[in-house]
Every structure is written in structure tokens, then in C-alpha cells.
Amino acid sequence: MEPKRISFRQGCLSRKAEETALRRYEAAAWLESIAGPLCLPQKPSDHEFVSCLRNGLVLCNAINKIQPGSVPKVVSNALMGSPASDNQNPLPAYQYFENIRNFLVAVEELKLPTFEASDLEREKLDTASVSRLVDCILSLKSYHEWKRGAEINGSLKSIKSPLFKLSLTRAQIHMTPSGSFVQRSRLNLTSDTESKPCKAKDEVVRIICQCLVDAKENINQVLATNVTSQEREFKSAVHCSSKEGKVSNDISPLQNKDHYTSDKDRSDHMNFLEAQEQEIRELRLMLEGVKSEYRALHNQVQNDYATLVHEIQGLSTAASRYNEAVKENRNLYNMLQELRGNIRVFCRIRPTFNSTSRSSIEYIGEDGSVMVFDPLKPQSTRKVFQFNKVFGPKATQGDVYKETQSLIRSVVDGYNVCIFAYGQTGSGKTHTMCGPSGGSAKDNGINYMALNDLFSISSTRENVKYQINVQMVEIYNEQVRDLLCTLEIRTCTGNGQTSLPDAKMLPVGSTEDVINVMKLGEINRASSSTAMNDRSSRSHSILIVHVHGEEDSGEATHSCLYLVDLAGSERVDRSEATGDRLKEAQHINKSLSCLGDVITALAQKNSHIPYRNSKLTQLLQKSLGGNAKTLMFAHISPEIDSYAETISTLKFAQRVSTVELGAACANKESNEMRDLKNQIDNLKKALAIKETERVPFSSKMKENVPTMESSSKQAAERTPPRSRRFSLETPTYTKIPGAPTKTSQSQFGFHAQEKSPDKMKCDVAINGQDDFTFSSTSSSEQKSVRASVAINGQDDFSYSSTSRSVQKSVRASVVSKGSNIRKSIQSLGKLINASEKRSNQCPIEKPVSKIRSNLDSKSPVNSKTDSRTMRRQSLTNPLLASSNFSRRSSLGGKSDTNLSDVSKTPPSIKTSSKATKKWL
Ligand SMILES: Nc1ncnc2c1ncn2[C@@H]1O[C@H](COP(=O)(O)OP(=O)(O)OP(=O)(O)O)[C@@H](O)[C@H]1O
């Protein structure tokens, strides 16, 4: 056990108390030896000691023994005629007072230290009064000893030294080796011949030592007071001694010739005293020096403390400012990123399955850097990649979601958000997005946590009513399948908000709903075991969360959250895939490679982004190139044998982080916008009515259709079938050289070509559901006007028109959707009127049969090209459409296009645009 620490002050106090007690015991012992048994314990307490002396009997008896007759009349029970013992019948206190008074008078006569009579009467004893009593008794004892000595030597002298008046200090008592207490008189100059100058010298030395001890003990106060007073006492003692020595040799034994055997002794003693005085002076000086040094040190400590406090305050202020600056820096960085619209990239490293295996991850930085190294090739260089954040193997699902949470809030604010997990097979994508199968709630993946958060955030916004629906699909072998009802569904990658209109949309309102939906999706999702992952996802899964919010004010938001768990890229030699697994792996790798192409094109800011090369990129188009906020999780496996895949993933992720999407914008819809949309709907209806008014004309045209029909059929046979929507979303334009005559255009849904000077071809597409697109292009030498109209059923509408006859160029760049829609409505109105006029002006010049004859006369190559053109016309020309050439007819397109013109402008392979090729 650690010893209890005693402070210096505590130590001094306990020492003083001990010394006081020792003196008391000594006084009691002496009294007993002089006045007989006192019935006191060997070590009496203050109270016991004082009680014993209170009646003054003991004291009077003691002094009478030393100096017979000092107290002539001692009051006792016997005197009062009461033989009973004191204890049995004590006398009243005032009667005993007489004894005390007489004793004190006698002591005073002996010039010994006295005490107050009241010191014995106090109920509550204090140390000072007991100390005075003890001092008195001990001085009496001293006197007695001196007297005895003097009687023996026959030289009894009166005691006049003032030092005797001093109270005995603790230093006067010391323990003999035998254990009894021996009192040494303090400068006992009245002692016998043996207490000669050398004894006085000892006393002086002792007093000086006492001064030094005291000085040492109480450097602050005692030195300032006690030491000075003790020194004064000493000085005055020496002074008095020497003075008295001059006046009377009896008074000062110090200078009394009797005390010294010779003058030499006396002068030696005087020299010694002077030397002591000198020493004291020096000591005092030293003390002053120490004190001033102490003061300086004290001041310095105080200054240092103040400086330290000041510096600490400065540091804490700087630290808080630094934190603020870091926070601001991060905010600014985020703002910058948002403005640039960069895709954020987080990297997550899966823990190793085998704890003893070596890892290729060398370092993970707090700043989002990760250093990888191939331990199998020590000569290879270390590669460092920088991302927004890197999660090490120990990062929990909660840690990962914490960094993602802000994006989920954005969804509620009306932003489209896409979070997708990328990485090689078995690197932990599904773990991050869904969590481990059969895991506890804390292992839930981002999908669950995001939806839960959506509920909780939306419930806190009281003035907005939210509706949350989910769709869950997978892309398996380039087929989009609904995971919520196990059906293959058609895709729509148009401008509409709903990319997968046929996918089942389930409303969710609680966590339980979400869990049920996820479970259903997980059950339906294609997964199987491979050599690299027991439960490898064989498809890309996409969870689409639609959040529709309507404020009390009428404003509405509609946003989508895409949560994509991609299938992992795999090396078939390592995954040992064969048969179906091999086919799946090939599809997975191909679609991921298409994703890579899209990312590269976006990073290089190419004009053409190959979204349409795979279903995956089509579905992610809006997230990768739209106005969404996108976050990618790049997953890597730390195992050494996955090093090549790790590097490939990291490089891909690095490339993704350089893609700039442009600032994301919220999908907010004000009341005004909604009105404008309604207007668009009305205009669409008006258009539809116009179309139906043209029915008689189209039926007239039908007479000429049969010949065209067969031609078209031929073309259709050579053209692979594709989804209607796909073709609709690729409005394109083919410049057909040598088109012989002008082609006039009428309604929407027409295809017209103009011969020199203007050549014009227009494609109009109306999406039966919610899309309407129109494009018209005319090329000429110098002037061209290009117009296109696109009405997005939801909120987009744009118009452009090209016509040499109009002779003016219109290019509308609409910043806000509201103004865009307003302008578009005006343009649409004009267009309707203009198209009506044109349709009335353009007579049909050639019968459709002529087209056929023209087509038939072409070379095989040309006829193939023509058939393409015909097919294209069939999609865009309402006339042909009405002749059942194409599914376009279902869109209500009719035209009074001059078919002879079509026949005069056979399409050419050479001049087909790239877009047309692609479209075909
Ligand atoms: N951070 C992680 N902590 C603990 N275990 C993890 C972690 N990441 C992945 N795992 C475990 O690693 C295994 C493979 O993970 P997962 O199935 O998520 O990989 P994947 O990338 O989705 O693979 P695939 O592309 O083949 O579907 C699982 O058993 C999973 O529980």
C-alpha cells in the first residue's frame, strides 16, 4: 500500500504536539516526585493534568518543598475541617483559588515564569494555557535543580537572567539513550561551575540552529516573524548579559569573573558571541537573499503561469478556428463538387477472409487516399489513389451510411440521387447495399437504411405530404426483369421521369414494408455460387425509390433514388464459370465494359456518349449524365491474388471521379409550372384533334398505299424488330442528296424532303405515353433554321425548326423550366397554325405507286438503303404509318406529304449519317 503522505505543515504540527506532550509528561513526573503520587497515568492528557492541579494543593506543596514557606497557608480539606479525601468531598472552587494565587505569588517572587489563575479554571482547555502551566512547572523544576546544585556546591545565587523568563522551547528537551527525558536549561547561565562558557556556547549554537530550523520550516512567515523575534530575543539576551555583566557580576554569570577561570576565557566567549552574531547577520543576509530569490521565483512562476494561460487560450482559440476553417473548407469543397457535379467516389475495402494472408492494401489515409502494393512483385511501385473517402476493412455499415446520409436528405429535397456499388465479384457490393443475408439490423445495408431515413426525414416535415414508391428490377443477361413480380418488362429511357413504366411500383410506408419488398426482390434476384463467391449476384439489381412530395402551398417535388448493386466483374478462369454461369459472366463483363466506355466518354467530355450500348448504361443514363447526384462505391478485395482486379477497379473509380455532371437541380414544380403543363396537355389534345381531322385525307391516300405497303414490308423484313420506344427516342435526320423536288410538310408526324436549294427532312415522333418529339432539319448553303419540338409529358418541352423559307434562325436556350415551357407553348401554337396552312398549300404531286417503281428500279444496295429509308419513313410519315407500314401509325401520324418527292429522293448509303446507322 502506498504510504500516506504527510505535508510539511502537518509534519510540523504533529512534531510540536508531540513535544508539548513530552513536556507535560515531564512536568507531571517531576511534580509526582516532589509532591507525592498524583494518581495520574504515565502519559496524562491535558485535561487530566490540569484537573489534577486545579485545586493548587500539588503546586503549593511542590513550591514549599523547593522553597519552604513560599505558601505559608495551603487550603486543603483537612484545613477546612473535612478529613474526607479531596475526591470524595471537594471544596468549592473559590476556596482553592487561594492556593493558586499564593502559588503564583511565590513563583513570581522567584522570578520564574507564571501562568494565569484562570488557565486552570477553563472548562475548555487551550494549548496556550496548558503550555504556560507546563512552562511554569518546568522552570520550577529547573530552579529546583539549580538550587540543589548550588546547595551542594554552596554557591546559591539569585537568578536574574532574563532568559529564564523565556518559555522553554521544544528544543530544550531531548531524549536520552535510556529513554528518559532530560531537560537542558536554556542558556542556563545560573547553573553551577560546570555550566561554564562552553555550555553557554552550546546554548547559543543550539538557539542558532533552532533559528535555522524554524527558518527552514516556515520560510514564508515564520522567518519574517518568529526568526526575527527569536533573533531579537537572542540579541537582547546577549546584550543584557553583557550589560548586566558590567553592572553586576552576580547578575550575568556570562560576564561574571566567577564563571570564567580567566579573562582569556571571557574574551574568548565574547569573541565567540560576536562571531555568532556575525554569523547571524550573514545568515540574515542569506535569508534576505533567499527570500528575494524566492520572491523572484514566485513572480517568475506567476508570470510564466499567466503566459501559459494566455498561450493556452490562444491555442484553444486557434484550435477552434482551425476546426471552423476545416469545416468551412469541407463545405466549400462539397459546394465546389456540387457545382461541378462530380460523381463522388467512396472506396470500401473488404476484410480479408483469411486473417493470416497478406494484404495488397498498404495504407489507408484519412484524406481519402489509398496505397496499394503487390507484395508478390517487390520491385513494383506503390500506387496511390485518391477518393472522397476510403473505408477500411473495419468500417461498419453505420460508418458507411453516415457518409451517405446527406445524399438521402437530398432525395427528400427533390434531387435525383444514384448510389451504385462497383467492384470485382466477392468484393462486398451486396454487403454494402443490402447487408449480409440473415444479418442483424445493425448489418443492414444502404438500401434499408436509406429508406428508413427517407421515412424519418419525411415524417419530420409537417407541411409536406410524401408518397414513397419503390420499383426493383434486375438486368439479367441484357434483359430487364421485374424483381417484384418476376416478369420481363420493357424499358423506357426517354425523357420521362419513369424509366421503367412497366415495372411494378409498390407503395411503402414503413420499415416493414421495405423489408418485405427487399426480401421479395432478393428472392427473385438471380444469384448462384461461383468459385469466388458462394452467393454471387448474377445480375445488376436496381432499386428505384420514387419520392413524391406535395407541399401545402401546392409546390410539388418528385425525385428518384437509384440504389444499384452491380454484378461483379469476374475473370472466368478464376470464377470457373461454365454453361449458364459463363453466359452470365460474359453479359456482366460486357455491360460493365459498356459502363466503362460511358464513363470514359463522359470524363473526356465527348459529344457522343454510348449510353445505348447496354441496358445498364441506358438505365443509368440519367444518373451518369443527367442532373442527379451520383455516388459510386468502389469495392476492392485486399487479397494478393485479386491485385490485378483491385488495380482495375481503382483505376475505373479514379476515372469516374473525374466525370463532371454539372450541378444537380431539384425537381420542383410550382403551381405555375403545373398550369403550364396543363396547357401543354390541352395543346396535345388539340393536336390530336387536328390529326383526326386529317383522316379523310389519309384514307384518300390509302388508295395508293398497297404498292407502298409491299415495298415497306420488304424493308421491314430486313430490319430487325426493336421496341417502339427505342426508335421514338432516337429522332434523327438523314440528309438525302439528290432529292429531286421540294417536299412540303404539313402536320406533326411527317417526313418531308426538299430539293435544292433547301433539302429538308423532318422526323416527328409522338410518344404515345408521355413523350412527343419533333425534329426538322433543312440543310442549305448558308442559312438554316433548325427546330425541334419535344414535349415531355412531365415537364420538358422544346422546339426547334429549320426552314429556308422561314429564313431565320431560332435557337432557344431556356434556362428555367417555366420559361422553357411558356416559350414552347407559344411555339407549339404557332406550329399548329403553320402546319395547318402548309398542309393546305401542298398538293400531292405523285402517287405512291411511283415511289414503289422508283424503289424497284434501284440496285440491290440501293434498294436495301431505300428500304431503310422507307422503313424510316414508315416510322415518321403518317401517310405511310396509316398504311400500316410501321407501329408509328399508332401514334396517329398522318401526312399529306408529297410521296412523289419521296420517290425522287432515294436514300443513299454513303450519305447516311452516323446517327442513322446507329438508329438502324
Ligand atoms: N465489409 C465487409 N465486412 C464483412 N464481410 C464482408 C464485407 N464485405 C463483404 N463481406 C463478405 O464477403 C462475401 C462476398 O460479399 P458480397 O456477396 O457482398 O460480394 P459482391 O461484391 O456482391 O459479390 P458478387 O459481385 O459476386 O455478387 C460475403 O460473404 C460478405 O458477407
Side-chain angles (χ1 to χ4, degrees), residues 532-711:
M532 295 193 67
N533 189 357
D534 290 344
R535 211 167 152 268
S536 177
S537 312
R538 310 309 291 165
S539 65
H540 308 299
S541 115
I542 304 173
L543 174 71
I544 306 158
V545 185
H546 299 265
V547 181
H548 182 78
E550 240 176 84
E551 283 180 30
D552 295 342
S553 62
E555 254 192 22
T557 56
H558 185 96
S559 50
C560 288
L561 169 64
Y562 288 78
L563 295 161
V564 186
D565 176 16
L566 296 175
S569 58
E570 64 187 62
R571 275 180 19 208
V572 284
D573 56 328
R574 284 191 67 201
S575 65
E576 297 167 14
T578 53
D580 280 351
R581 298 296 84 78
L582 179 62
K583 195 177 156 201
E584 287 161 2
Q586 284 165 345
H587 275 112
I588 292 167
N589 288 346
K590 183 174 172 284
S591 57
L592 291 174
S593 143
C594 291
L595 180 64
D597 293 343
V598 165
I599 295 294
T600 307
L602 283 167
Q604 291 171 356
K605 297 197 169 106
N606 288 356
S607 56
H608 173 68
I609 313 292
Y611 289 116
R612 282 156 197 270
N613 286 358
S614 74
K615 281 279 188 312
L616 175 66
T617 45
Q618 278 178 41
L619 282 175
L620 292 183
Q621 178 172 355
K622 285 170 93 185
S623 313
L624 296 173
N627 61 354
K629 294 185 178 186
T630 306
L631 167 67
M632 175 178 131
F633 278 98
H635 289 85
I636 51 177
S637 310
E639 284 84 22
I640 298 170
D641 49 2
S642 296
Y643 182 75
E645 285 92 340
T646 298
I647 290 289
S648 152
T649 301
L650 291 174
K651 279 185 177 168
F652 177 79
Q654 190 96 297
R655 213 161 50 232
V656 170
S657 66
T658 62
V659 172
E660 286 181 20
L661 301 179
C665 55
N667 302 311
K668 279 207 172 177
E669 201 178 65
S670 63
N671 282 339
E672 193 192 358
M673 291 241 297
R674 205 172 300 165
D675 289 346
L676 290 168
K677 272 189 179 177
N678 288 340
Q679 284 185 42
I680 290 171
D681 285 343
N682 292 340
L683 285 167
K684 275 170 129 181
K685 279 178 197 157
L687 263 174
I689 292 164
K690 293 274 178 207
E691 296 303 328
T692 42
E693 278 172 6
R694 309 237 164 267
V695 171
F697 170 75
S698 80
S699 55
K700 197 175 164 188
M701 288 301 298
K702 262 187 182 174
E703 292 163 19
N704 299 314
V705 162
T707 50
M708 185 69 182
E709 201 171 33
S710 57
S711 161

Side-chain angles (χ1 to χ4, degrees), residues 126-338:
D126 61 48
T127 326
S129 52
V130 176
S131 179
R132 276 197 294 272
L133 186 60
V134 171
D135 279 353
C136 175
I137 293 165
L138 290 179
S139 64
L140 202 59
K141 180 192 169 211
S142 216
Y143 173 79
H144 181 223
E145 283 167 357
W146 166 77
K147 196 176 170 194
R148 269 207 321 209
E151 277 169 1
I152 292 164
N153 296 309
S155 56
L156 182 65
K157 291 186 174 68
S158 59
I159 306 159
K160 299 222 171 152
S161 169
L163 285 177
F164 238 100
K165 288 269 180 190
L166 296 173
S167 65
L168 296 173
T169 66
R170 57 186 181 273
Q172 285 172 286
I173 301 160
H174 68 97
M175 208 174 235
T176 60
S178 62
S180 67
F181 292 102
V182 176
Q183 185 180 348
R184 294 172 68 194
S185 43
R186 190 179 188 191
L187 262 186
N188 194 354
L189 307 178
T190 58
S191 63
D192 56 11
T193 44
E194 283 141 74
S195 51
K196 299 271 174 355
C198 76
K199 201 166 185 184
K201 182 178 154 192
D202 283 352
E203 287 300 308
V204 171
V205 170
R206 189 186 51 75
I207 289 174
I208 290 166
C209 290
Q210 183 61 41
C211 284
L212 290 174
V213 168
D214 280 354
K216 200 174 158 198
E217 283 176 0
N218 303 300
I219 198 155
N220 267 339
Q221 294 153 6
V222 180
L223 278 185
T225 54
N226 287 5
V227 172
T228 325
S229 66
Q230 284 191 17
E231 191 194 338
R232 212 167 31 241
E233 281 171 13
F234 173 79
K235 270 179 153 184
S236 70
V238 171
H239 181 71
C240 288
S241 298
S242 59
K243 215 167 130 190
E244 282 179 11
K246 277 175 202 163
V247 177
S248 163
N249 287 340
D250 286 343
I251 291 170
S252 175
L254 196 72
Q255 290 168 331
N256 191 342
K257 281 181 183 172
D258 293 347
H259 284 276
Y260 302 104
T261 49
S262 65
D263 282 346
K264 190 174 171 294
D265 282 352
R266 189 172 167 272
S267 71
D268 282 353
H269 193 202
M270 290 308 288
N271 289 342
F272 170 75
L273 284 177
E274 273 167 24
Q276 291 298 313
E277 256 190 272
Q278 177 63 26
E279 217 171 291
I280 287 171
R281 271 196 297 276
E282 281 168 12
L283 279 170
R284 204 163 173 223
L285 279 175
M286 204 193 289
L287 178 69
E288 285 301 317
V290 169
K291 275 165 88 177
S292 65
E293 220 171 275
Y294 169 78
R295 268 196 297 273
L297 273 171
H298 186 74
N299 287 345
Q300 197 179 326
V301 167
Q302 279 198 329
N303 288 345
D304 286 352
Y305 180 75
T307 319
L308 204 67
V309 167
H310 184 72
E311 277 176 10
I312 287 172
Q313 277 175 349
L315 274 174
S316 79
T317 317
S320 66
R321 277 196 201 140
Y322 172 77
N323 281 340
E324 273 170 29
V326 167
K327 214 167 153 188
E328 201 180 322
N329 197 16
R330 185 176 289 183
N331 286 344
L332 286 172
Y333 177 74
N334 285 341
M335 265 166 69
L336 181 71
Q337 270 226 323
E338 247 163 54

Side-chain angles (χ1 to χ4, degrees), residues 679-779:
Q679 284 185 42
I680 290 171
D681 285 343
N682 292 340
L683 285 167
K684 275 170 129 181
K685 279 178 197 157
L687 263 174
I689 292 164
K690 293 274 178 207
E691 296 303 328
T692 42
E693 278 172 6
R694 309 237 164 267
V695 171
F697 170 75
S698 80
S699 55
K700 197 175 164 188
M701 288 301 298
K702 262 187 182 174
E703 292 163 19
N704 299 314
V705 162
T707 50
M708 185 69 182
E709 201 171 33
S710 57
S711 161
S712 180
K713 265 182 188 169
Q714 282 176 2
E717 274 164 18
R718 286 184 225 116
T719 311
R722 65 182 69 84
S723 88
R724 179 190 63 182
R725 188 165 281 270
F726 191 80
S727 65
L728 288 174
E729 282 147 14
T730 322
T732 186
Y733 145 66
T734 310
K735 183 182 170 187
I736 304 170
T741 58
K742 280 188 180 177
T743 305
S744 62
Q745 53 192 19
S746 67
Q747 283 282 15
F748 297 107
F750 73 106
H751 175 187
Q753 293 165 355
E754 267 183 283
K755 180 68 182 164
S756 178
D758 297 334
K759 287 158 271 181
M760 177 184 275
K761 177 169 178 181
C762 301
D763 284 352
V764 171
I766 299 172
N767 178 326
Q769 294 249 341
D770 53 9
D771 291 350
F772 175 95
T773 61
F774 167 89
S775 82
S776 154
T777 313
S778 163
S779 80

Side-chain angles (χ1 to χ4, degrees), residues 348 350-351 353 424-431 533 536-537 568:
R348 189 172 189 187
R350 171 175 57 68
F353 292 135
Q424 78 169 111
T425 181
S427 57
K429 298 179 293 297
T430 311
H431 184 90
N533 189 357
S536 177
S537 312

Side-chain angles (χ1 to χ4, degrees), residues 847-913:
V848 176
S849 56
K850 187 108 185 218
I851 299 170
R852 187 183 180 179
S853 65
N854 278 346
L855 289 171
D856 289 344
S857 64
K858 301 288 169 202
S859 68
V861 175
N862 271 348
S863 64
K864 191 180 175 185
T865 315
D866 291 346
S867 69
R868 282 182 185 166
T869 313
M870 287 300 290
R871 190 182 161 278
R872 189 167 174 68
Q873 288 163 353
S874 74
L875 289 168
T876 54
N877 190 327
L879 176 66
L880 299 179
S882 66
S883 313
N884 289 330
F885 274 112
S886 154
R887 279 165 291 185
R888 281 273 181 199
S889 57
S890 65
L891 300 172
K894 278 181 201 279
S895 174
D896 50 0
T897 308
N898 189 337
L899 292 177
S900 62
D901 285 349
V902 175
S903 66
K904 283 174 195 170
T905 54
S908 138
I909 288 174
K910 268 187 189 171
T911 53
S912 288
S913 72

Side-chain angles (χ1 to χ4, degrees), residues 348 396-401 430-450 452 511 514-515 518 522:
R348 189 172 189 187
T396 61
Q397 299 284 76
D399 295 337
V400 174
Y401 183 69
T430 311
H431 184 90
T432 298
M433 299 308 288
C434 306
S437 61
S440 61
K442 75 174 172 46
D443 295 325
N444 278 347
I446 287 177
N447 290 2
Y448 292 93
M449 292 199 239
N452 276 343
T511 316
V514 175
I515 291 171
M518 301 278 179
E522 264 179 48

